[in-house]
């Protein structure tokens, strides 16, 4: 196989990345490295056409005498027995304010990858190689971790209750207080000198005073006053009738 990739970065940056196994591992797109293992060892999911195959293996890069780099990959299917082996050579050359990387070598695959169309496998391999070379140009070395700060070097934030500069507060004393404040002050003055029990049970005054419930009149009381009035009217009618008869 042979594939060429152009990246807008000088060849010196790619050579520095290829010499660092950590940067090489970070340049592989989608590689999940195993904890505690050598850089470049882990799991990688490859999408070929409409199929996804997960491989577990290792990637190794070594410099050659002619200035090129050898890339060896050995992987096995995570859920199968198929294997993939790559023996590639990367040659770097400066071109047009960038670098042109030529990838040549051989590849062998078995298992599920061998059952898929060859065009789909070649397209997936070219796409993966292109993203790998672009990742090399973007990979930056990790900053060295400095010594941890001691207790005496750790910055301590000031306490929240620390006294700060007093700011003047302007209170408009010329404006009249709201009515609710006046009623509260009056209630406070009237409760001075009273016991705590009287103050707790004292009814509120002002706008917060309870509204008395309307008085209801029972039906018996209405009848009690209506009966004497009716008797008085009947007696008056009888007296007037007798007086008229005597005059006739």
């Amino acid at each position: 196989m042979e594939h060429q990739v152009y990246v807008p970065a000088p060849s010196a940056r790619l050579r520095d990345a290829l010499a660092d196994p950590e940067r090489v591992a970070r340049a592989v797109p989608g590689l999940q490295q195993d904890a505690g293992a050598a850089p470049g060892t882990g799991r990688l999911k490859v999408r070929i056409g409409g199929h996804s195959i997960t491989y577990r293996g290792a990637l190794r890069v070594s410099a050659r005498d002619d200035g090129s780099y050898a890339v060896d990959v050995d992987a096995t299917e995570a859920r199968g027995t198929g294997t993939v082996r790559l023996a590639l050579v990367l040659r770097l050359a400066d071109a047009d304010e960038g670098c042109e990387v030529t990838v040549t070598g051989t590849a062998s695959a078995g298992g599920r990858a061998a059952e898929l169309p060859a065009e789909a496998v070649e397209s997936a391999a070219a796409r993966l190689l292109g993203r790998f070379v672009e990742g090399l140009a973007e990979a930056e070395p990790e900053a060295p971790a400095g010594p941890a700060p001691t207790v005496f070097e750790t910055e301590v934030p000031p306490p929240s209750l620390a006294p700060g500069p007093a700011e003047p507060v302007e209170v408009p004393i010329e404006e009249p207080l709201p009515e609710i404040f006046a009623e509260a002050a009056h209630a406070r003055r009237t409760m001075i000198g009273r016991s705590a029990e009287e103050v707790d049970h004292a009814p509120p005054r002002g706008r917060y005073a309870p509204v008395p419930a309307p008085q209801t009149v029972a039906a018996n009381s209405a009848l009690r006053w209506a009966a004497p009035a009716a008797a008085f009217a009947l007696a008056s009618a009888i007296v007037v009738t007798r007086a008229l008869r005597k005059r006739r």
Side-chain angles (χ1 to χ4, degrees):
M1 59 178 300
E2 183 176 354
H3 185 67
Q4 289 184 349
V5 182
Y6 172 82
V7 291
S11 60
R13 180 182 299 181
L14 274 72
R15 295 184 184 278
D16 293 341
L18 290 171
D20 187 354
E22 294 287 348
R23 297 169 67 178
V24 171
R26 293 199 304 269
V28 179
L31 176 63
Q32 300 178 3
Q33 300 193 63
D34 294 338
T41 303
R43 299 163 59 95
L44 177 63
K45 180 182 291 187
V46 181
R47 187 170 184 84
I48 303 176
H51 304 269
S52 296
I53 307 176
T54 301
Y55 291 96
R56 177 184 294 275
L59 168 69
R60 294 175 299 275
V61 177
S62 58
R64 302 176 63 180
D65 297 337
D66 58 355
S68 60
Y69 296 86
V71 179
D72 297 324
V73 177
D74 292 329
T76 306
E77 294 182 7
R79 297 182 178 180
T81 58
T83 58
V84 171
R85 289 182 175 84
L86 299 178
L88 307 178
V89 177
L90 275 64
R91 292 181 172 85
L92 284 63
D94 295 327
D96 297 337
E97 299 181 358
C99 179
E100 186 176 65
V101 181
T102 303
V103 182
T104 58
T106 59
S108 61
R112 296 181 56 187
E115 300 174 357
L116 299 176
E119 296 79 3
V121 176
E122 293 178 1
S123 177
R127 181 173 63 253
L128 184 61
L129 287 174
R131 295 179 60 184
F132 170 68
V133 174
E134 294 174 357
L136 290 174
E138 298 175 359
E140 297 292 341
E142 294 184 356
T150 62
V151 177
F152 302 99
E153 298 176 351
T154 304
E155 183 178 358
V156 179
S160 58
L161 300 180
E167 299 181 357
V169 180
E170 298 181 0
V171 180
I173 58 177
E174 298 181 358
E175 299 181 0
L177 294 176
E179 182 181 356
I180 185 172
F181 293 160
E183 293 180 1
H186 174 71
R188 183 169 61 255
R189 288 194 299 270
T190 56
M191 291 182 182
I192 296 176
R194 304 170 65 181
S195 63
E197 183 178 357
E198 291 176 346
V199 172
D200 293 340
H201 297 281
R205 300 181 179 181
R207 65 173 65 183
Y208 301 104
V211 179
Q215 299 180 358
T216 58
V217 179
N220 295 335
S221 61
L223 295 177
R224 183 178 59 185
W225 291 102
F232 178 77
L234 181 58
S236 300
I238 295 174
V239 172
V240 172
T241 304
R242 290 180 179 178
L244 291 178
R245 287 180 181 178
K246 289 181 180 181
R247 290 183 180 182
R248 290 180 182 177

